[in-house]
Amino acid sequence: MAVFTALRTLSQGGCSETDARMEDLVKEIPGCLGADHAQTPGGLGITVGYFRDADALTEWWTDAEHRAAQERGRAEWYRSYTLHVAKVERSHGFVRPPEPQGPTAG
C-alpha cells in the first residue's frame, strides 16, 4: 500500500488531465488492486494505492510516464508531499443496508 499526501500549489494547469491519465495507467500494472482518493477545497489531497506486492508497487514507481508526472508535480503542482509505504495486516469495512422505500411524511 502506498499513501500519497500532497498540498497543492495554486498553479494546477494540466494537473487534472495528468491525474486522470495516471489513474488509467496504474490500472495497467499487474498487481494494482485499486485506489482511494480524497481532496479538500484548500488543496490537501490524499491518494491510497493498493498493490498486491512490492514488485507491483516498484513497477508503478518506475514507469516512465509516471516518473515524468512526478517530476512535473514537484516542479509545478505540489507545495509539499509525503509518501508512506506499508503492508496491510488486516482490513474490514461496513456498508449500511439500503433503507426501505416507502411513503414519505408530508
Side-chain angles (χ1 to χ4, degrees):
M1 174 175 66
V3 181
F4 180 75
T5 304
L7 187 56
R8 295 191 177 201
T9 63
L10 296 177
S11 174
Q12 292 297 296
C15 188
S16 294
E17 296 83 1
T18 301
D19 283 349
R21 173 62 185 143
M22 292 302 104
E23 192 168 325
D24 289 341
L25 186 63
V26 72
K27 291 175 186 175
E28 297 175 12
I29 302 291
C32 173
L33 304 175
D36 294 317
H37 311 278
Q39 187 161 346
T40 69
L44 176 64
I46 300 173
T47 299
V48 181
Y50 304 96
F51 296 86
R52 179 184 58 233
D53 53 31
D55 291 339
L57 184 55
T58 298
E59 186 173 341
W60 174 236
W61 282 345
T62 58
D63 177 89
E65 196 172 344
H66 183 218
R67 300 288 296 181
Q70 292 172 31
E71 289 178 24
R72 188 167 179 200
R74 284 189 293 272
E76 299 177 39
W77 302 320
Y78 302 131
R79 287 182 40 206
S80 64
Y81 69 81
T82 59
L83 175 67
H84 302 284
V85 176
K87 290 183 181 181
V88 176
E89 297 291 331
R90 179 176 35 240
S91 179
H92 71 276
F94 169 80
V95 176
R96 182 177 304 281
E99 294 189 20
Q101 300 295 316
T104 57

